[in-house]
Amino acid sequence: MIIDGLARALDDRLRLSPITRRALAKVFPDHWSFMLGEIALYSFVALILTGVYLTFFFDASSADRVYQGSYAPLDGATTSAAYASTVRLSWDVRAGLLIRQTHHWAALVFVAAIVMHLARIFFTGAFRKPRELNWLIGVTMLTLALANGFTGYSLPDDLLSGLGLRILTSVVESIPLVGTWLAALALGGEFPSDAMIPRLFVTHVLLVPAVLVALVSLHLGILVRQKHSQFPGPGRTEHNVVGSRLWPGYALRSLALFLWLLAVLFALGGLVQINPVWLYGPFELAQSTSPAQPDWYIAWGDGALRLFPSWEFRIGGYLVPQPFFPGVVLGGLTFVALYLWPFAERLRTGDRRQHQLLDRPRDHPVRLGIGVGALTFFVVLVVAAGDDILARLLRVPVYDLLSLFRVLVLVLPFLTGALAFFIARALRRGEAASLGELTRADLRRAARPAPRRPSGEGEPEVPVLDRPGERIELWPVGEVWRWRYRDEAGLTLTANRAVRSEEEAVEAARLAYPGVDRVVVPGPPSPPVRAVRAALRRWGRAVAVGSLLIAALIERRRDRRRQRDGDDESPSTKKAEITSGDGDPTCLP
């Protein structure tokens, strides 16, 4: 009662009910891959919730503090305030270690979900018009996620994070002309400076999260404003969206995903140890940890630094040190390529149409080959970041592994990319539905060169042709009209919005399903029949018809038996009829 009254009072003043109805009626496709973006969103929410708790106990300062707490090996040691508060939070604050480790795991899942979501968009062509802006926003969010992950990783001021920050500072300082100035601006002086931890803290908890919240809001706003992309299927065209409404179906599934994600993250935070800073000790310039590897999402940079040869040269009297190419050029070219890819592909293909339907990866072998090759390249770099651990486990010299990785990082991406291109072309040209159904004929057909198309010839947008049995059905519901699509196979897709007149319903239906000209008004649709109920009804009819047939056969057999018994009677038992003079029959023995 109270909530209903408040809602009515708010709606009377702000008129939110029409907007709310339209928002709740929005349709989302029913495919698991669309949940990757929601996993990233909910991981970000988990990061904010756990991060707020951690800020209550973390001391973002480089000043000296004497640690006094439950961890005996450090009790009485003088460390930085940041490191002392991190150890105290892990050992002495109730649920501190659980929240800190959950925060760290949420950061790893957050970046992983963004990368997987970006890969799904790339391989399915969801970056094409009109979604180029959302692609740019997504790439920017990936960049900010990497930056925020590294700043949070560096805040505890332990020996491992201090080494990582030292490496990144050297990479920034390797930029000619402006590198030293940029490093001093970010850290507040030469590394390590007293302003380093406070600036990292402000960047981690305020600047980058604020920009991320703004970009996430803009990303979701554009998603709501535009139609959601979808995979090809029955009844799905470039002009409609087939799936579940936001309320209640999709909202309940999304809420369940959020709760499951929180459960998994807190289970990881409570059961799987990560970043035990008390074992590393506080950061000291003269010390280092071995083995020392960063988190996976920045390990590719560490791997590139390890594999790139120690080449240095001068340009115009300025030294270009070795970290510049693997640290600055590689990362810069990667993100520039991501930003420019939608426009480069549109320039290459000449496709300027708006796309609602997604591509199957096999339909674009070149895009698939390039994407698989790039992913292979970065996976090799991530593995190469742990070459010292692998050398110890395999008991081989680390320099032998280094040489092996240098060969793999150059050869393996081309091999995997070429293999993906060849398989995609075989699937595209052949009739195989999956990889296991490929035949030798498909592979031979894929090895042949593709036929050339005339220059400037694109694929025209052909409307869906009207097939037998395909129609639009309309019916009135009170003062409004609703409509649904039905094909020859019996698939029924009902529109999620009602319109005011029959003409508006016909116009909306033809806009959603171009080429379907058959429109009927069958009246209100019958309620959906459950599968069990339909089966019982079908078998009941069959049993009734069978019973009638059996009864007819039994009755016919009885008639034949009566007739045969009558023909077999003897003449002595028959009675003779004698007609008297007045015409009355007289029976004589």
Side-chain angles (χ1 to χ4, degrees), residues 26 53 110 123 163-164 227 275 354 378 516-517 565:
K26 183 173 177 59
Y53 183 86
F110 177 53
F123 288 118
L163 286 176
K227 289 184 177 180
N275 199 24
Q354 294 193 4
F378 284 100
V516 183
D517 296 327
D565 293 343

Side-chain angles (χ1 to χ4, degrees), residues 308-315 318-325:
F308 196 82
S310 56
W311 294 343
E312 295 183 354
F313 55 90
R314 293 182 178 272
I315 298 180
Y318 291 95
L319 176 66
V320 180
Q322 185 268 346
F324 177 71
F325 288 99

Side-chain angles (χ1 to χ4, degrees), residues 26-284:
K26 183 173 177 59
V27 176
F28 290 85
D30 296 323
H31 196 274
W32 65 268
S33 64
F34 292 97
M35 293 293 183
L36 294 173
E38 296 193 17
I39 293 177
L41 174 62
Y42 295 149
S43 299
F44 183 59
V45 174
L47 282 170
I48 293 177
L49 295 177
T50 55
V52 170
Y53 183 86
L54 295 177
T55 56
F56 295 151
F57 306 98
F58 181 72
D59 187 0
S61 174
S62 300
D64 291 338
R65 291 287 188 275
V66 176
Y67 171 75
Q68 294 178 347
S70 301
Y71 187 62
L74 285 176
D75 191 22
T78 301
T79 65
S80 65
Y83 182 78
S85 63
T86 303
V87 177
R88 187 178 299 110
L89 192 152
S90 302
W91 283 82
D92 299 299
V93 175
R94 187 179 297 273
L97 182 60
L98 171 65
I99 299 300
R100 192 177 74 83
Q101 294 193 150
T102 302
H103 187 77
H104 201 132
W105 280 114
L108 300 182
V109 175
F110 177 53
V111 181
I114 293 179
V115 172
M116 296 178 65
H117 184 58
L118 204 69
R120 197 272 300 175
I121 293 175
F122 177 83
F123 288 118
T124 59
F127 53 81
R128 295 172 298 176
K129 187 178 180 181
R131 297 178 178 84
E132 302 95 335
L133 181 58
N134 249 355
W135 170 265
L136 300 179
I137 293 175
V139 175
T140 305
M141 286 194 291
L142 174 61
T143 308
L144 293 176
L146 296 177
N148 213 39
F150 184 81
T151 54
Y153 171 82
S154 304
L155 279 178
D157 199 31
D158 60 288
L159 187 56
L160 183 61
S161 65
L163 286 176
L165 189 58
R166 171 73 269 186
I167 293 173
L168 182 62
T169 303
S170 300
V171 170
V172 175
E173 290 176 343
S174 68
I175 303 175
L177 295 178
V178 297
T180 304
W181 178 79
L182 289 176
L185 178 64
L187 301 179
E190 292 187 7
F191 179 87
S193 65
D194 294 336
M196 180 176 64
I197 299 299
R199 293 195 178 194
L200 290 175
F201 181 76
V202 172
T203 302
H204 181 73
V205 304
L206 180 61
L207 298 181
V208 177
V211 179
L212 278 175
V213 169
L215 291 179
V216 168
S217 303
L218 182 59
H219 183 78
L220 295 178
I222 294 175
L223 181 64
V224 172
R225 184 70 179 93
Q226 296 176 340
K227 289 184 177 180
H228 210 297
S229 59
Q230 60 186 348
F231 287 98
R236 300 174 183 177
T237 69
E238 297 281 2
H239 307 279
N240 69 342
V241 180
V242 177
S244 303
R245 297 184 187 181
L246 176 60
W247 182 263
Y250 194 85
L252 293 178
R253 290 201 300 268
S254 184
L255 178 61
L257 176 65
F258 177 50
L259 296 178
W260 271 106
L261 181 65
L262 286 181
V264 171
L265 291 178
F266 275 95
L268 289 173
L271 301 176
V272 183
Q273 179 177 278
I274 189 170
N275 199 24
V277 295
W278 55 88
L279 298 180
Y280 306 143
F283 174 64
E284 298 290 344

